Amino acid sequence: MTSVPTPIPSRTQFVLEGIKHRILTGQLTPGQALVETELAAQFGVSKTPVREALKTLAGTGLVVMSQYKGVTVRLVDADMAREVYDVRLLLEPEALRRAVQRGASLDAARDALTRADAAIDTAERSLANREFHRALYLPCGNPLLGRMLDEVRDQAALVSAVAWAASPSWEREAGEHREILRLALEGDGEGAARALHAHIASFVQRAFPEAGLEQEGQQ
């Protein structure tokens, strides 16, 4: 029997999304302390929804809870990048290949790419890029595969935020996104999967060369 997830109270959800947005857009940086009383004052709520939101974020890997240091935004290093991007390399290209193979609509990916191109700031473009990748893998026909990729989505975005802050590479990645989408829309699932694999691998290799991921496409 499949268990039904417990709904998150609206105030907790509000705080959760607010903190996540600040982390993924660089307003809260890796290693920064997250103090319940300060966050409660900023969001205009009690400490309870803040505490619950931080627990959820710890479960997704965006924050770390320590008995001695309290709660901090997760630090990003080569080991984290390798773990997260290794999962993406194993699953995301295959999910896209299946989505193309089954003739799934990629209108959401096209819309996200348009929003990314028209973005006026880093935060807006980052969020649009996240939606672009999700729109490629979500219609793969396997809900479990989609959920597995969703589980590492926030951590991948955190890695990206740190990399972009150090060395912006928007234009190159935007070009790679357009090529991936072109191949997918033409029905070339294998080609789109290879292009996506190369895109993911090359990004983390540029940002964290010590991560040691392979850049070769799928066999």
Side-chain angles (χ1 to χ4, degrees), residues 53-132:
L54 291 176
K55 288 180 181 178
T56 300
L57 290 169
T60 65
L62 280 185
V63 308
V64 176
M65 291 183 161
S66 169
Q67 181 178 353
Y68 305 103
K69 294 183 179 180
V71 184
T72 57
V73 179
R74 183 173 181 177
L75 289 170
V76 175
D77 57 19
D79 287 340
M80 176 196 175
R82 181 175 58 248
E83 290 175 5
V84 173
Y85 275 71
D86 188 42
V87 172
R88 290 188 66 191
L89 284 170
L90 287 169
L91 301 182
E92 200 167 323
E94 174 62 18
L96 173 58
R97 188 188 68 78
R98 293 187 180 196
V100 174
Q101 187 177 48
R102 65 194 298 264
S105 171
L106 295 174
D107 288 347
R110 197 201 316 260
D111 292 344
L113 191 56
T114 299
R115 290 198 306 274
D117 287 341
I120 59 175
D121 59 32
T122 300
E124 187 178 344
R125 186 173 292 176
S126 175
L127 294 174
N129 280 345
R130 293 180 73 223
E131 289 305 316
F132 172 76

Side-chain angles (χ1 to χ4, degrees), residues 20 23-25 60-62 74-77 80-89 92 126-127 129-131 133-134 137 148-164 170 173 199-200 203-204 207-208 213:
K20 181 192 293 187
I23 292 173
L24 298 182
T25 56
T60 65
L62 280 185
R74 183 173 181 177
L75 289 170
V76 175
D77 57 19
M80 176 196 175
R82 181 175 58 248
E83 290 175 5
V84 173
Y85 275 71
D86 188 42
V87 172
R88 290 188 66 191
L89 284 170
E92 200 167 323
S126 175
L127 294 174
N129 280 345
R130 293 180 73 223
E131 289 305 316
H133 277 274
R134 189 168 192 260
Y137 68 69
M148 290 172 71
L149 282 163
D150 273 350
E151 286 184 7
V152 298
R153 185 167 171 248
D154 288 344
Q155 295 178 57
L158 180 57
V159 173
S160 297
V162 170
W164 287 324
W170 297 111
E173 287 150 38
H199 166 70
I200 295 170
F203 173 81
V204 74
F208 297 92
L213 289 177

